């Protein structure tokens, strides 16, 4: 409340108005994100229909994925860099590291390349790209309206939630996903905005496509208490398959990333060729594949078919994603989960000594299980399946299986797949435990900005000669824009006295580099400084090889004394 | 909006900011509305394409089903149902194809999914009932048959309801659920249209369920619609015969074609019963005595023959015991005296005992034997 002479009254009024504008904006963004998701879905279906027709010949099945991937490879390399893959990790990176700034090229490029990739039969999902498109549209609108940077950042999960809600027709799961995965904080203050956007998007989606659930699922229930053991077994199977998916994806992607830079433009087509060959024999793995998920849910597939499709879809998705095409892993994880769950369900149904639900119930739980294990969003997975089925009875088995799958996946693949994919691209997202609280001292406050480097091609003997003139416990190897590693003074001294003296210093550098990011807390700095040998590089979160400073014991003490 | 970080501005600055925001939001809303209509048009076009595809897959599925290619048909129909979930014909045909293939679980799952969305659909409930009937699941079949029966039927399909109830009754009778079948039959009887075939079938099911009285009613109803219907005449005659109303039975059976199976034999028995019954109304005492003695004489001969035939058998003593009773009874009969009602009834009891013994031990039953047993039952100890 301001007095008539209050000099801050105009600011207060503006702030109040900004809140009102933001509320209206979340509704509008929800609508636009929902529309973009619907349009994306429709465009994929139309593209697929035009490319493959009603019953495609073998030649078409074989030729279309690689041919279209040549086009998308060109677009992805030359016109729309940065829109490969799912879009969810990129959205997270934009939210956490770029202040929510997503260039207009990203949603546009994602839409075009996503439609071409998924529509041409690549085994990928449409939900991840929808998230990036929604978030991108929100970011562009926020900047166009001239919102403050903080508000622009806030719009990213709002747009993402709206798009996901429309893509899945699951408003609650979309809100949870935005909080759990994009923001990484279930208590975030943006709950209200994401709910508003999600509801707006779903209203729009339903007014266009009708209130049809994604899948038609019979009502399932827990037939016998002993069935919980069967669902637990499904959770274990789901965890193992999730692990196989995550490890396989990261491994295959690292293979593609190691290929020469010149091949990058052709990598999607290489993937397309493999997918084309697979489609000739198993067209059921094509595209999003919800048609077959529906069959698994309704008990329409045989045991061997489901087991085979589980692994074929897994392999196809790894190839499509790792080769750099544009598309997500939501839908494939649901597909693989439905097949794995359905197969387990059939075995249980056939051999269990107690009465059991139909295999479709296990397929349904299997979908959530794989989602929890791969995406690592357990709350989202539970609510998503709950919203799809609208059946309370399925919750307990779902939670049991999801938790087991989540725990197994986390135990053997500690880094969630989206973060691991970002790390492969040199982007390190902050995790809440390692970030310093607002206002507290962080790594950037105790680092030296002036960093000496030893060129990686320098011989060990020359490097030792240089080190004798520059007293330090350890030295960084590389350049400011590309850190190669670090060597300790003791390592240099020992190597210079051995037959390694003429070798380049690169040979002394280890595969992993102890490092911190500018926002890391001093606790983390102290731990990692001990691991580093005395010179701890501070690297950018968006480019993990770019050095922003170095922390030594001296700089740490100097930083502490400055504070004192 | 970004000016919240700026220093307080003049009224003009704020007004211009306000104008800019309103304009931008207005522009955005216009964009959103335009995008909505564009998206709706594109989605509608896509929907039409999808529906066309679905119809084509449905057509192919039907052709494949008719050609006996069930696997292909199922695949095509599945594609049709995925593309158009709203048309329940597709799902119902798919369920039928799955049933034909023997994949009951998948068919049931499909139908249950459909039922979740339209629990009152008579066709879905009927197919579920038939599936349950195929699996001999009486409880589930009864549940779905009843759901189908009490579903809101479209007026043009309303005549199909009695047929479904008949189907349910046949299923119940085949699974020894006579009580439930009788209940359904009684419910059906109240709403049967004036259809000869339906009435006759209902009457025959009443007979199978052991409810001869209601069976007779149905046959009589059918005869009111078509008095010369042969099936109804025979059915009504036999129902009346079973109920012991031989005079009524004769009325119907005389009008029925003699060539019809069982009709002739039953009519013969009925004629004998009516002509040999010593306790029939409106006959004189002489005639009453004559009828009793004729029947008694015949039964005695049958007994004597049977005793001679089974001499030495372990059960022969029973026949001898009956013969002693016969002699005692014959000794009590005075040639000229009036026959008391009790004496006639005792004689009929004895005749019935003889017939039962003879039928069980010796000669095959003749029409006359049957008639004597029936007379005995009507007036003898069993009838009383």
């Amino acid at each position: 409340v301001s007095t008539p002479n209050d000099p801050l009254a105009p600011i207060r009024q503006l702030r109040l108005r900004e809140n009102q504008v933001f509320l209206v904006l979340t509704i509008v963004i929800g609508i636009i994100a929902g529309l973009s998701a619907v349009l994306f879905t429709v465009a994929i279906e139309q593209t697929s229909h035009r490319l493959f027709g009603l019953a495609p010949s073998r030649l078409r099945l074989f030729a279309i994925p690689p041919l279209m991937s040549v086009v998308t490879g060109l677009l992805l390399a030359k016109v729309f860099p940065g829109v490969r893959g799912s879009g969810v990790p990129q959205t997270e990176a934009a939210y956490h590291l770029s202040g929510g700034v997503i260039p207009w090229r990203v949603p546009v490029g994602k839409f075009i390349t996503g439609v071409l990739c998924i529509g041409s039969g690549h085994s990928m999902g449409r939900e991840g790209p929808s998230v990036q498109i929604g978030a991108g549209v929100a970011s562009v609108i926020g900047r166009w309206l001239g919102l403050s940077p903080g508000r622009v950042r806030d719009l990213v999960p709002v747009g993402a939630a709206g798009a996901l809600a429309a893509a899945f027709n699951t408003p609650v799961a979309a809100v949870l996903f935005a909080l759990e995965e994009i923001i990484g904080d279930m208590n975030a203050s943006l709950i209200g905005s994401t709910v508003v956007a999600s509801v707006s998007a779903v209203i729009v989606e339903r007014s266009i496509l009708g209130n049809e659930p994604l899948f038609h699922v019979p009502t399932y229930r827990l037939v016998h208490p002993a069935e919980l053991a069967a669902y637990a077994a499904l959770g274990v199977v789901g965890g193992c398959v999730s692990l196989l998916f995550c490890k396989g994806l990261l491994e295959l992607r690292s293979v593609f990333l190691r290929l020469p830079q010149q091949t990058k433009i052709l990598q999607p087509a290489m993937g397309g060729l493999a997918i084309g060959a697979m489609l000739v024999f198993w067209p059921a793995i094509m595209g999003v594949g919800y048609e077959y998920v529906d069959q698994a849910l309704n008990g329409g597939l045989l045991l061997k078919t489901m087991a085979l499709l589980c692994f074929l879809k897994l392999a196809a998705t790894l190839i499509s994603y790792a080769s750099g095409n544009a598309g997500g892993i939501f839908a494939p994880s649901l597909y693989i989960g439905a097949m794995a769950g359905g197969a387990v369900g059939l075995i249980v149904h056939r051999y269990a000594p107690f009465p059991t639900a139909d295999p479709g119930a296990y397929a349904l739980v299997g979908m959530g299980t794989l989602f929890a294990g791969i995406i690592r969003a357990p709350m989202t997975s539970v609510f998503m399946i709950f919203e799809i089925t609208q059946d309370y009875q399925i919750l307990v088995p779902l939670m049991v299986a999801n938790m087991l799958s989540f725990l197994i996946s986390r135990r053997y693949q500690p880094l969630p797949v989206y973060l691991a994919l970002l790390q492969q691209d040199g982007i390190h997202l902050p995790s809440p435990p390692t970030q310093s609280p607002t206002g507290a001292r962080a790594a950037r406050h105790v680092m030296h900005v002036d960093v000496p480097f030893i060129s990686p091609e320098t011989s060990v003997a020359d490097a030792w000669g240089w080190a004798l003139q520059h007293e330090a416990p350890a030295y960084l190897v590389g350049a400011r824009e590309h850190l190669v590693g670090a060597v300790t003074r003791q390592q240099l001294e020992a190597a210079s006295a051995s037959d390694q003296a003429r070798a380049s210093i690169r040979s002394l550098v280890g595969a992993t580099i102890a490092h911190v990011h500018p926002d890391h807390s001093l606790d983390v700095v102290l731990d990692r400084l001990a691991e580093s040998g005395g010179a701890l590089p501070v690297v950018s979160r968006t480019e993990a090889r770019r050095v922003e400073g170095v922390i030594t014991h001296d700089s740490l003490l100097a930083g502490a004394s400055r504070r004192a | 909006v970004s000016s919240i970080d700026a220093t307080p501005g003049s009224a003009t600055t704020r007004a211009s900011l306000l104008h800019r925001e309103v304009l931008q939001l207005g522009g955005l809303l216009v964009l959103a509305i335009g995008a909505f209509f564009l998206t709706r048009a594109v989605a509608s076009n896509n929907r039409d394409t999808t529906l066309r595809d679905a119809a084509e897959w449905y057509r192919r599925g039907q052709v494949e089903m008719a050609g006996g290619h069930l696997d292909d048909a199922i695949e095509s129909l599945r594609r049709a149902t995925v593309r158009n979930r709203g048309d329940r014909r597709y799902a119902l045909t798919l369920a039928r194809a799955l049933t034909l293939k023997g994949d009951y679980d998948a068919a049931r799952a499909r139908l249950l999914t459909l039922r979740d969305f339209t629990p009152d659909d008579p066709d879905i409930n009927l197919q579920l009932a038939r599936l349950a009937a195929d699996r001999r699941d009486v409880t589930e079949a009864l549940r779905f048959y009843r759901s189908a029966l009490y579903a809101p039927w479209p007026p043009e399909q309303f005549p199909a309801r009695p047929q479904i109830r008949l189907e349910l009754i046949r299923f119940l009778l085949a699974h020894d659920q006579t009580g439930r079948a009788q209940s359904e039959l009684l419910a059906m009887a109240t709403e049967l249209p004036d259809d000869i075939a339906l009435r006759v079938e209902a009457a025959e099911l009443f007979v199978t369920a052991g409810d001869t009285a209601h069976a007779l009613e149905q046959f009589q109803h059918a005869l009111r619609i078509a008095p010369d219907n042969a099936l109804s005449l025979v059915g009504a005659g036999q129902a009346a015969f079973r109920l012991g109303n031989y005079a009524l039975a004769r009325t119907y059976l005389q009008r029925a074609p003699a060539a019809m199976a069982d009709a002739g034999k039953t009519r013969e028995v009925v004629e004998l019963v009516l002509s040999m019954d010593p306790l029939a109304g409106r006959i004189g005492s002489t005639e009453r005595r004559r009828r009793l003695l004729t029947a008694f004489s015949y039964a005695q001969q049958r007994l004597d023959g049977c005793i001679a035939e089974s001499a030495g058998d372990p059960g022969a003593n029973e026949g001898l015991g009956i013969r002693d009773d016969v002699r005692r009874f014959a000794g009590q009969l005075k040639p000229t005296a009036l026959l008391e009602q009790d004496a006639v009834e005792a004689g009929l009891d004895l005749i019935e005992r003889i017939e039962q013994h003879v039928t069980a031990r010796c000669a095959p039953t003749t029409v006359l034997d049957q008639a004597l047993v029936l007379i005995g039952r009507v007036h003898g100890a069993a009838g009383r």
Side-chain angles (χ1 to χ4, degrees):
Chain A
V1 178
S2 60
T3 59
N5 296 326
D6 184 0
L8 294 175
I11 293 183
R12 290 206 178 99
Q13 277 181 356
L14 281 172
R15 195 182 294 281
L16 182 66
R17 206 168 68 227
E18 186 181 52
N19 288 337
Q20 291 164 347
V21 168
F22 192 76
L23 178 65
V24 175
L25 203 54
T26 51
I27 297 172
V28 176
I29 283 177
I31 292 169
I32 295 177
L35 288 172
S36 69
V38 171
L39 203 57
F40 188 60
T41 303
V42 169
I44 289 170
E45 286 178 6
Q46 278 292 315
T47 306
S48 182
H49 186 266
R50 287 179 198 288
L51 289 175
F52 291 104
L54 201 61
S57 64
R58 289 188 164 208
L59 180 64
R60 265 194 184 195
L61 287 169
F62 177 71
I64 284 171
L67 289 177
M68 290 307 294
S69 295
V70 170
V71 178
T72 50
L74 192 69
L75 289 172
L76 288 165
K78 300 291 179 191
V79 188
F80 304 115
V83 299
R84 287 169 192 263
S86 158
V88 174
Q90 293 93 322
T91 306
E92 288 177 33
Y95 177 78
H96 289 285
L97 304 176
S98 312
V101 175
I102 302 175
W104 66 268
R105 270 173 181 248
V106 170
V108 172
K110 193 68 168 196
F111 190 97
I112 295 169
T113 56
V115 165
L116 292 177
C117 286
I118 304 167
S120 66
H122 273 285
S123 172
M124 304 180 101
R126 63 189 182 216
E127 292 78 15
S130 295
V131 165
Q132 195 180 16
I133 293 166
V137 167
S139 171
V140 170
I141 290 173
R143 281 178 287 133
W144 177 64
L145 285 171
L147 295 188
S148 60
R151 289 297 200 189
V152 171
R153 183 175 185 257
D154 288 348
L155 284 179
V156 167
V158 169
L164 189 63
F168 261 138
N169 194 5
T170 53
V172 179
V175 170
L176 286 173
F177 182 79
L179 300 177
E180 197 171 32
E181 188 63 39
I182 308 284
I183 303 174
D185 180 5
M186 294 293 279
N187 297 314
S189 58
L190 285 171
I191 290 178
S193 309
T194 50
V195 168
V196 169
S198 182
V199 170
S200 311
V202 164
I203 290 171
V204 165
E205 185 256 347
R206 289 182 185 176
S207 65
I208 294 174
L209 299 180
N211 189 13
E212 275 279 300
L214 197 56
F215 306 107
H216 271 204
V217 187
T219 308
Y220 291 122
R221 62 195 172 88
L222 194 67
V223 176
H224 191 277
E227 258 199 301
L228 278 177
Y231 283 111
L234 173 57
V236 173
V237 171
C240 295
V241 178
S242 303
L243 208 55
L244 185 66
F245 183 92
C246 294
K247 297 268 185 201
L249 179 61
L250 295 172
E251 193 56 44
L252 190 61
R253 191 161 182 265
S254 74
V255 170
F256 274 98
L257 288 174
R258 282 199 298 271
L259 292 176
Q261 188 67 17
Q262 298 88 322
T263 65
K264 206 167 182 180
I265 197 166
L266 286 174
Q267 284 179 15
M270 290 159 66
L273 199 62
I275 293 297
M278 290 176 86
L279 287 183
V280 171
F281 299 102
W282 303 289
I285 59 163
M286 182 194 285
V288 178
Y290 285 153
E291 188 177 330
Y292 291 90
V293 174
D294 202 70
Q295 287 192 30
L297 290 174
N298 287 286
L301 297 174
L302 300 173
L303 174 60
K304 65 178 181 186
T305 309
M306 286 198 277
L308 186 69
L309 285 180
C310 172
F311 290 104
L312 286 172
K313 185 74 177 178
L314 192 149
T317 308
L318 299 193
I319 293 168
S320 290
Y321 197 102
S323 59
N325 285 285
I329 55 174
F330 265 43
S333 66
L334 294 180
Y335 185 114
I336 297 164
M339 297 305 155
V344 170
L346 267 175
I347 293 169
V348 171
H349 199 59
R350 212 170 280 174
Y351 300 111
F354 46 83
T356 68
D358 287 336
Y362 289 81
L364 192 63
V365 173
M367 287 164 67
T369 305
L370 262 283
F371 194 89
I374 294 173
I375 311 294
R376 295 278 188 85
M379 290 301 291
T380 307
S381 70
V382 168
F383 275 86
M384 189 177 68
I385 302 298
F386 178 52
E387 277 188 289
I388 288 173
T389 58
Q390 297 174 359
D391 186 358
Y392 184 78
Q393 298 278 334
I394 205 79
L395 268 186
V396 174
L398 192 62
M399 286 196 290
V400 168
N402 280 16
M403 278 305 132
L404 276 167
S405 172
F406 176 77
L407 291 174
I408 290 169
S409 178
R410 193 176 65 176
R411 169 74 179 79
Y412 296 102
Q413 167 65 39
L415 202 59
V417 73
Y418 283 145
L419 295 187
L421 288 167
L422 281 175
Q423 288 205 354
Q424 283 189 330
D425 295 334
I427 298 169
H428 292 203
L429 281 192
S431 59
T434 61
Q435 272 188 300
S436 68
T438 309
R441 294 182 83 73
R444 63 175 165 272
H445 299 118
V446 295
M447 69 183 185
H448 280 312
V449 182
D450 187 17
V451 186
F453 288 93
I454 303 173
S455 167
E457 308 314 324
T458 310
S459 69
V460 171
D462 289 348
W464 175 239
W466 181 82
L468 286 174
Q469 295 160 25
H470 299 83
E471 183 71 30
Y475 305 94
L476 300 187
V477 177
R480 180 172 282 276
E481 294 306 317
H482 190 82
L483 178 68
V484 173
V487 288
T488 62
R489 191 176 177 85
Q490 286 91 333
Q491 272 181 300
L492 264 182
E493 187 175 6
S496 65
S498 72
D499 53 0
Q500 276 188 296
R502 300 182 72 82
S504 76
I505 197 165
R506 189 190 287 272
S507 62
L508 298 184
V509 175
T512 56
I513 313 166
H515 66 274
V516 288
H517 297 290
D519 59 344
H520 269 142
S521 67
L522 291 190
D523 287 346
V524 178
V525 168
L526 284 172
D527 283 347
R528 298 203 183 159
L529 186 59
E531 294 169 20
S532 71
L536 180 65
V538 181
V539 298
S540 162
R541 279 203 179 272
T542 52
E543 291 173 55
R545 294 278 173 180
R546 186 157 61 78
V547 178
E548 298 195 350
V550 66
I551 296 173
T552 62
H553 293 104
D554 291 343
S555 72
L556 197 60
L557 285 172
S561 63
R562 271 202 301 278
R563 190 187 189 191
Chain B
V1 181
S2 59
S3 61
I4 59 163
D5 298 328
T7 54
S10 64
T12 319
T13 315
R14 275 184 276 133
S16 75
L17 273 172
L18 181 64
H19 287 146
R20 188 170 65 93
E21 279 170 10
V22 170
L23 281 174
Q24 284 179 319
L25 276 174
L28 211 53
L29 273 172
V30 170
L31 182 77
I33 292 167
F36 176 82
F37 284 110
L38 173 75
T39 308
R40 204 170 67 164
V42 174
S44 169
N45 181 42
N46 184 58
R47 178 86 185 138
D48 290 345
T49 310
T50 311
L51 291 181
R52 273 198 303 275
D53 287 358
E56 175 58 21
W57 282 118
Y58 178 61
R59 191 194 62 75
R60 288 185 189 195
Q62 281 187 312
V63 171
E64 286 155 352
M65 206 165 141
H69 307 293
L70 281 178
D71 285 333
D72 294 338
I74 287 167
E75 189 57 35
S76 300
L77 291 167
R78 274 198 179 123
R79 286 171 193 269
T81 50
V82 167
R83 281 163 180 76
N84 185 0
R85 288 170 174 165
D87 196 328
R88 63 189 184 85
R89 281 179 310 155
Y90 299 175
L92 283 171
T93 313
L94 172 59
R96 261 198 293 277
L98 288 165
T99 310
L100 282 174
K101 203 193 158 203
D103 195 348
Y104 295 120
D105 285 343
R108 184 171 174 272
R110 282 273 160 196
L111 291 168
L112 285 175
T113 310
L114 272 179
R115 194 177 183 270
D116 283 344
F117 291 91
T118 48
D120 293 333
D121 188 299
D123 286 337
I124 295 167
N125 281 299
L126 185 60
Q127 278 214 37
L128 277 165
R130 285 173 179 162
L131 266 182
D134 283 346
R135 289 186 290 115
R136 298 167 191 279
D137 186 339
V138 176
T139 312
E140 190 168 301
L142 192 61
R143 178 179 148 222
F144 287 126
Y145 268 123
R146 283 188 173 152
S147 298
L149 281 169
Y150 299 115
W153 286 76
E156 69 275 10
Q157 288 185 10
F158 198 78
R161 266 179 63 170
Q163 292 289 357
I164 293 163
R165 203 186 285 276
L166 283 174
E167 190 179 315
L168 166 62
I169 293 162
R170 279 194 292 269
F171 168 75
L172 289 171
L173 288 172
H175 290 83
D176 298 328
Q177 303 287 318
T178 314
R180 282 175 170 167
Q182 270 179 323
S183 306
E184 293 297 333
L185 275 165
L186 288 171
M188 184 184 70
T190 59
E191 59 181 28
L192 272 182
D194 283 343
D195 182 301
I196 297 278
L198 277 178
R199 291 281 171 181
V200 170
E201 185 163 9
E204 282 169 351
L205 288 170
F206 267 122
V207 171
T208 313
D211 189 347
T212 317
H214 283 105
L216 180 60
E217 275 179 20
Q218 291 305 315
F219 282 124
Q220 286 172 328
H221 198 112
L223 286 169
R224 279 198 288 278
I225 303 164
D228 296 326
N229 183 275
L231 278 176
S232 307
L233 285 169
V234 173
Q238 286 183 333
F241 174 76
R242 281 195 198 96
L243 287 169
N245 191 343
Y246 301 109
L248 186 64
R250 181 165 62 181
T251 311
Y252 290 125
L253 291 171
Q254 276 176 343
R255 286 162 56 198
M260 288 193 73
D262 288 340
K265 191 182 167 193
T266 311
R267 192 162 59 189
E268 210 177 327
V269 175
V270 166
E271 292 295 349
L272 282 171
V273 169
L274 291 174
S275 62
M276 292 187 72
D277 186 356
L279 287 174
R282 296 179 189 176
I283 55 169
S285 56
T286 314
E287 175 63 12
R288 196 181 306 280
R289 171 182 281 275
R290 188 192 67 76
R291 288 185 181 191
L292 182 66
L293 290 177
T294 307
F296 203 74
S297 162
Y298 173 77
Q300 210 170 358
Q301 280 174 26
R302 290 272 285 165
L303 181 64
D304 291 341
C306 186
I307 288 169
E309 204 176 300
S310 59
D313 283 1
N317 288 338
E318 191 189 341
L320 293 172
I322 296 172
R323 191 162 64 181
D324 291 343
D325 291 345
V326 168
R327 282 178 183 158
R328 259 195 303 280
F329 182 76
Q332 289 169 9
L333 283 177
K334 295 172 184 163
T336 54
L338 276 174
L339 280 174
E340 297 283 335
Q341 171 92 4
D342 288 350
V344 177
E345 285 175 355
L348 289 174
D349 280 348
L350 199 52
I351 291 169
E352 192 186 357
R353 276 179 67 199
I354 294 167
E355 285 299 332
Q356 279 171 353
H357 175 79
V358 170
T359 309
R361 299 211 154 265
C362 305
T365 319
T366 64
V367 175
L368 186 55
D369 291 328
Q370 279 183 42
L372 290 177
V373 168
L374 290 172
I375 293 167
R377 272 188 200 156
V378 173
H379 304 296
R384 288 190 299 274

